[in-house]
């Protein structure tokens, strides 16, 4: 859907229509853990297959493991413990699929904009520290941040109201975010 030009302007003068915002980036969640586990299982299977191939070719002594496994399985009769093992394996498979499709964590904070502009919490921490250092009475500042909260630790000259001034300045600077995080200020030196 394109934007309509203002009355009295040509489409060339109106400029391009705004872009649709892209979706927020997300972290990988637990997918890498499942991938590593499956890769290790496939690697172990490959080692067993190579070993059996070398035994079959006569390069190694012994019996092929898969042939022994087939002999063991062929000689078994149904037992109640097999049901429990089957249920446990089915639940493990369901758990692996559930982990793969679980909602992934968001790692960025969206700014208010027509296009998708985001930043990371570590950048919010840097920005908040910089803003705090510009407030009168602040000797130093360091900040930790997440998507929902920012904690600014300041050392001050002891002026009253410095922590409130820092909180107001940081909150105002972070108001460009789509969801402004909670700002807390902790004084580490002096009192305010």
């Amino acid at each position: 859907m394109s934007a309509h030009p203002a009355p009295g302007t040509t489409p060339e003068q109106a400029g391009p229509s705004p872009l649709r915002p892209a979706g927020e980036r997300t972290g990988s969640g637990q997918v890498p853990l499942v991938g590593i586990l499956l890769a290790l299982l496939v690697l172990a299977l490959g080692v067993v297959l190579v070993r059996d191939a070398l035994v079959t070719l006569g390069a190694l002594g012994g019996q092929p493991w898969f042939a022994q496994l087939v002999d063991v399985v062929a000689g078994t009769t149904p037992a109640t413990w097999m049901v429990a093992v089957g249920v446990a394996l089915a639940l493990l498979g369901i758990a692996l699929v559930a982990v793969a499709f679980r909602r992934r964590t968001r790692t960025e904070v969206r700014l208010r904009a027509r296009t998708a502009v985001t930043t990371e919490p570590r950048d919010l921490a840097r920005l908040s520290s910089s803003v705090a250092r510009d407030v009168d009475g602040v000797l130093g500042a360091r900040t930790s941040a997440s998507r929902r909260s920012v904690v600014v630790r300041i050392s001050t000259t002891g002026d009253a109201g410095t922590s409130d001034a820092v909180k107001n300045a940081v909150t105002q600077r972070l108001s460009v975010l789509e969801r402004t995080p909670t700002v807390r200020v902790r004084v580490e030196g002096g009192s305010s």
Side-chain angles (χ1 to χ4, degrees):
M1 201 165 124
S2 62
H4 296 290
T9 60
T10 65
E12 293 80 21
Q13 293 171 333
S17 62
L19 298 174
R20 190 184 93 236
E24 271 186 84
R25 290 187 349 174
T26 59
S28 60
Q30 299 297 320
V31 173
L33 177 65
V34 173
I36 289 170
L37 290 175
L38 293 177
L40 289 174
L41 287 173
V42 170
L43 181 64
L45 180 64
V47 168
V48 170
L49 288 174
V50 168
R51 186 230 176 242
D52 281 1
L54 291 174
V55 168
T56 303
L57 292 173
L60 291 176
Q63 293 287 330
W65 289 343
F66 274 118
Q68 291 176 348
L69 179 64
V70 168
D71 291 341
V72 169
V73 171
T76 59
T77 56
T80 55
W81 66 268
M82 292 179 183
V83 174
V85 170
V87 169
L89 290 175
L91 290 175
L92 177 65
I94 290 170
L96 289 176
V97 170
V99 164
F101 289 108
R102 183 180 300 160
R103 183 177 176 198
R104 298 180 182 168
T105 57
R106 292 203 159 101
T107 58
E108 295 182 337
V109 181
R110 188 184 289 255
L111 280 69
R112 276 190 220 132
R114 288 182 162 245
T115 57
V117 180
T118 61
T119 187
E120 294 184 358
R122 66 176 177 230
D123 297 322
L124 293 181
R126 288 183 192 125
L127 177 63
S128 299
S129 292
S130 175
V131 169
R133 285 186 203 104
D134 289 342
V135 174
D136 289 339
V138 174
L139 299 173
R142 58 189 176 90
T143 306
S144 58
S146 68
R147 293 182 71 238
R148 295 196 173 112
S149 69
V150 172
V151 179
V152 183
R153 291 171 180 83
I154 59 172
S155 56
T156 69
T157 58
D159 295 339
T162 303
S163 63
D164 290 336
V166 168
K167 182 175 181 176
N168 292 338
V170 171
T171 302
Q172 182 181 3
R173 183 62 63 95
L174 297 182
S175 66
V176 297
L177 300 175
E178 201 171 72
R179 291 183 197 114
T180 305
T182 304
V183 177
R184 290 191 306 265
V185 178
R186 299 204 174 125
V187 179
E188 294 183 334
S191 61
S192 64

